[in-house]
Amino acid sequence: MRAAEAPGPAGPVNTPPVRLPDRRLLKAFRFDPMSSRLGGRHLTLDIPFETGLQPGPMGDLLHVVDYDPGHQRWYEPVDLDDPAILAQRGLRPSERDPRAHQQVVYGVAMSVLERFERFLGRRFRWTGGRQLRLVPHAFEGRNAYFDPDRTAVLFGYYRAERDDPGPNLPGQMMFTCLSVDIVAHEVTHAIVHRMRRYLSEPTNPDVFAWHEACADLVALFHHFAFRDVVAEAVAASRGRLQQGSALLDLASEFGHATGRGAALRRAVGSPADPEAFLRATEPHERGACFVAGVFDAYLDVYRGRIADLRRLATGGTGVLPPGALPPDLVDRVTVEAVENAERVLGMVVRAFDLLPVVDVTFGDVVRAIVTADRSLYPDDGLQLRATLVESLRRRGIWPTSVSSLADEALTWPRPARPLSLTEEPGGADLSALILAATRDLDVEAPMSAEHGATSQRDAEAHGLLASALRAWAGAHALELGLDPASAVDLAGVHVSYHQAADRQPRPAVVLQLVQRRPDLEDPHADPRGRLAVRAGTTVLARVDGTVTHLVTKPLPLSDPAALDAAPADVRAFAAALHEAGGRRLAAMRAWADRVAIADPLAVWTDEPVLRRLTFARLHAEQSEGMR
Amino acid sequence: MAARSSVSVRMYHVGFGDAFLVTVRRGRRTWRMLVDCGVHSQGTARPIREVVSAIIADLAEVAPAGKPPHLDVVVATHRHADHISGFGVEQWAEVSVDEVWLPYLEDPDDEQARATRSAQMAAAREVQRLALALGGPDRSTWPPGLALADALALNSLSNAQSMDRLLGRGSGFRTPATVRFLPHGDEPRTTLPTGLPDTVVHVLGPPRDPELLRRMDPPSAVAWLRLAGATAQLRGDGLPLFDPAYHVADGSVPAALAAVAPSLRLDELADEIDEVVNAAAGIEHSVNNSSLFLVLDVAGTRLVFPGDAQYGAWQHVLGDPESRALVAHPAFYKIGHHGSHNATPREYVESDLGEGAYAMLPWGLVKRWADSIPKAELMDALAEHDTRVIRTDEVLVDPHVEVNGTLWSEVTLTVG
């Protein structure tokens, strides 16, 4: 629950009661203890005020669990509603007080979640209404990672080298949970996993790279959420305003102290080189190319947006006088930089609704961005979309299966023949879903459930809807690029309300359908341990049920004879996907072989190497990866 | 030419390791080569001393009256214990050996080779140190991953005595042998005579090209490098992280938090252990790729001994048309690396091996690898090509195969 009239745990003190605030302010290091020490300043996190927040902190979305298995100790959980903490806008960050650590992970995670939610066009919650667990002192080691099995982000701690501590004190204890960037990065992994759970299966070199790119992008643009940080950078840039170098500096600062963003530091702001992307197989390297492309677009648009301010400030000469920039100019430029970050990040995050359910590639991401943005901003007045597509192209990232990079070619295809979620056979009643989603738009009301339940009635309604949609998908399998002879599972359904250029919301129903195909899996391997082979289709529909776009990841049909009975238009569509499915299957197998060959440990275990490739492993191995 | 020529390969059942005695007969002349003699510490079928005694007894039996047991050539494909540990046995001093063939990486005078070798050894020692630091002194409590890492590292180390004998240092063989480091520098492959007519040995690997050499370097993942050589104590320095004032007293953990914790299974996290295991597997892989890759050619009948060459080294062979022709359609194939994943490329079995070849699988049960070694897909693919696989754990009924109890299996091929 968010801000409400409800009194705090201690009961009302004043009569009539004073309304609780909407926002909670907390402090964090800027952006980690080392750079805070050198810079001498802290960040102020501005997050929603959760009422009923328990010590931990434990809220609706996040549980901070400060158990340290290495020392077999619990550390005192912080109560952020303590008046002493409220009155000073959060505990002062300290490496020595575990409660400050808890505050940092909670505050940063909430800040990231809120920003994400803003772009999603709907309320965010974890699967089954559960919470993401944050464990600030989970293990001894130079790593931090999201663990999907535990629904937890685990942070390590370690001692700085005694011989070569870098900028740290020799032998000093280092905490990964105190780095704002690490927390933002890991929480984003958890969010991406929530929205596309099958992207934890690296079926091609882009899947984990996309995970990394998203996590880096959100963590990087999170820096631009702090107006005072941006303003300082702008002020420091003085006459170099036009180049946007201040923002580049801010970007390159990202991940510096932690060593986490090495690939990113090299990529962001580097000259665009398509070869770098084509060469890269390691997820961080590959993901960094995408992030760099997005950042190029950000800078391009930013430069365009501040050109008028510069002309105004220079009386049209374009030459800024030496010395400090006028504070008014700094303010206006800062506003542009911050808003522009929102726009660009928003464009990428909105694309999630249109990503494939499985086996995503960066080409798919480009198509999803264009499709989503085009439906909201058909005219692309700010040239954002065109700039982004071009920046990514310059870095070697474009869909290979399209005829051109024009909007029309990049947009996801429509169904072969008119298709509606409400149409027989199958046919679902979407009204309960739409009602629940609409109710959830009221941020001051408690949330209903999507999976799992806050109320029995919601759960039953959702169960009915899910089985109706499964039946519908089964009945229209060929039209959806799925196999009529295999069971269809519903991996997710939601309604989102994105605001379009005309400021009207555009409600849309998004379905994630998935099919596991044991008949195409490795018959040698233990069925419980082997790699799953899945097809998936994302269905985008209007709230009246009309399907507008299909995002297919097909597999060969188990019985191609099924095509014969289909009407001609469906047959042509399904036959093409059957063929594409054959190519996709071959590509996935070749990739699995390639990874296994590159992995020395594959000799010693029968667990498929792609299953052992986890976020934990990925983050431990930063620069080398597979050879 | 001689009317009766044959070549036989006798596989001694050492357990998880290699020991092959190759005998070529051309008319009345014979030539004998021993390819490897070692067993893995994790999978000994019998003490390696007994195998060495059996080999020497077999050699003594065929030696002319009054002559010592003799081998024309002793080959050590690479320095892993499961290929050379047997050479540590003192009884070898009774055997006269003409030549010892080693991969050029063992050449004490080759600077590049020395650097690669010492990097591999240093990394293996580092794995052992880290395993001890992470696992503590009581090995019985080590998680399986650490035990694996330690076993792999051990396989690369502690073979000094065997190497000394092979290099002609210390007690050596009965008379000093000529030591060759192969392939010779700057040659894509080296062809060595045997003294018998139409009988040569082609050495196709290890490769000398820098890209493939890099594969022989120890792992360079950043996390591993940070761990390796870390001076900080890795585990349990016992110091509390925070002032005890922040510790929750036992039993007074807030109920809501205490309820969440068990589902997190936090006591089972093993981050750095994974790093060490991966590094150990990487070192093992690197040393395997330093294997001598031999083809024995007796008047067109070819026998392929790839050592434990893995993917990179195999690509070097298959990528060279002349080398590839030499390994294509052999009469005999020694299955690489105990039949494990990626020591026999699928491509080789599918398009080069041909139909009906004899193959030997030097294998002994190591429980924890039983599911992955030998690789089921490989064995299936070999069966599809009617490969006659001679194993230590199964009897192949075949007129050309002889089995001596549990001690050895032998295949004899007629040449010409």
Side-chain angles (χ1 to χ4, degrees), chain A residues 54-58 63-77 95-99 101 133 135 137-143 145 147 149-152 154 157-163 173 175 258-259 522 524-525 593 596-606 612 616-617 619-625 627, chain B residues 16 40 148 152 214-215 217-224 226 229-243 245-250 253-254 256-258 260-261 263-272 274-275 277-278 281-282 284-286 288 310-311 337 340-342 346 368-369 371-373 375-377 380:
Chain A
Q54 293 177 55
M58 297 178 80
H63 282 175
V64 178
V65 181
D66 204 354
Y67 176 68
D68 172 1
H71 294 82
Q72 302 189 338
R73 285 237 166 263
W74 282 93
Y75 301 120
E76 285 291 351
E95 290 166 85
R96 300 159 60 99
D97 184 344
R99 296 170 305 181
H101 298 206
R133 282 82 66 93
V135 187
H137 308 105
F139 58 92
E140 199 166 339
R142 298 168 192 237
N143 197 3
Y145 58 92
D147 183 337
D149 295 334
R150 292 180 166 90
T151 326
L154 306 168
Y157 54 86
Y158 60 95
R159 258 187 213 294
E161 283 297 304
R162 282 183 208 286
D163 299 340
M173 201 46 100
F175 299 96
T258 59
D522 178 0
H524 290 292
D593 278 354
I597 279 166
D599 179 37
L601 200 59
V603 172
W604 307 104
T605 163
D606 61 337
R612 279 186 290 108
R617 197 61 222 107
H619 279 179
E621 193 161 334
Q622 283 275 297
S623 79
E624 180 46 28
R627 312 195 245 204
Chain B
F16 197 93
H40 203 286
L148 168 63
L152 293 181
R214 200 176 62 87
R215 290 172 192 274
D217 284 340
S220 53
V222 170
W224 155 250
R226 281 206 210 109
T231 51
Q233 206 172 343
L234 284 160
R235 271 286 182 277
D237 57 7
L239 298 174
L241 283 189
F242 301 105
D243 188 288
Y246 298 118
H247 294 174
V248 177
D250 291 338
V253 179
L257 280 175
V260 171
S263 68
L264 287 172
R265 295 172 284 118
L266 290 174
D267 292 312
E268 298 167 22
L269 292 172
D271 187 56
E272 289 175 329
D274 287 349
E275 279 317 309
V277 178
N278 278 289
E284 169 86 10
H285 187 266
S286 305
N288 282 339
Q310 293 191 318
Y311 182 72
H337 198 243
S340 84
H341 167 87
N342 108 16
R346 180 183 301 178
R368 78 164 80 101
W369 303 327
D371 291 335
S372 58
I373 303 176
K375 190 82 176 161
E377 285 92 329
D380 290 353

Side-chain angles (χ1 to χ4, degrees), chain B residues 23-224:
Chain B
T23 306
V24 182
R25 294 188 178 79
R26 299 287 273 163
R28 305 173 62 176
R29 297 169 64 189
T30 54
W31 178 84
R32 288 195 176 82
M33 165 171 79
L34 182 74
V35 182
D36 291 336
C37 180
V39 69
H40 203 286
S41 63
Q42 302 290 303
T44 30
R46 52 170 55 82
I48 193 69
R49 264 182 299 106
E50 291 180 12
V51 178
V52 172
S53 288
I55 296 171
I56 295 175
D58 288 352
L59 293 173
E61 201 181 304
V62 295
K67 298 272 189 167
H70 175 77
L71 281 166
D72 293 271
V73 174
V74 163
V75 175
T77 57
H78 61 294
R79 63 158 53 229
H80 273 150
D82 55 341
H83 292 256
I84 63 168
S85 68
F87 295 111
V89 175
E90 201 42 48
Q91 211 187 334
W92 282 112
E94 301 169 7
V95 180
S96 87
V97 173
D98 291 346
E99 296 198 357
V100 172
W101 295 353
L102 295 169
Y104 74 89
L105 284 140
E106 299 301 338
D107 186 349
D109 299 326
D110 181 328
E111 202 169 317
Q112 168 73 50
R114 215 167 49 219
T116 300
R117 198 171 61 237
S118 61
Q120 287 172 347
M121 295 307 108
R125 277 190 292 272
E126 192 59 27
V127 164
Q128 290 202 309
R129 187 185 77 82
L130 287 167
L132 203 61
L134 293 167
D138 181 2
R139 284 167 193 260
S140 65
T141 62
W142 285 13
L146 271 192
L148 168 63
D150 192 56
L152 293 181
L154 186 67
N155 199 34
S156 293
L157 296 167
S158 66
N159 303 319
Q161 216 179 341
S162 298
M163 274 326 289
D164 279 351
R165 185 185 312 280
L166 291 163
L167 289 166
R169 297 190 293 230
S171 49
F173 296 101
R174 187 180 179 95
T175 49
T178 305
V179 182
R180 294 186 192 278
F181 300 101
L182 301 166
H184 292 145
D186 302 332
E187 289 177 3
R189 69 202 137 257
T190 296
T191 300
L192 297 162
T194 59
L196 298 190
D198 290 334
T199 305
V200 293
V201 176
H202 303 282
V203 184
L204 311 185
R208 282 180 182 264
D209 92 68
E211 167 63 16
L212 291 168
L213 265 177
R214 200 176 62 87
R215 290 172 192 274
M216 296 181 208
D217 284 340
S220 53
V222 170
W224 155 250

Side-chain angles (χ1 to χ4, degrees), chain A residues 233-243 246 310 320-325 329:
Chain A
V234 168
S237 74
R238 298 180 168 224
R240 297 173 296 134
L241 191 62
Q242 183 67 30
Q243 290 78 37
R310 191 178 152 90
L320 285 161
L325 296 175
L329 182 62

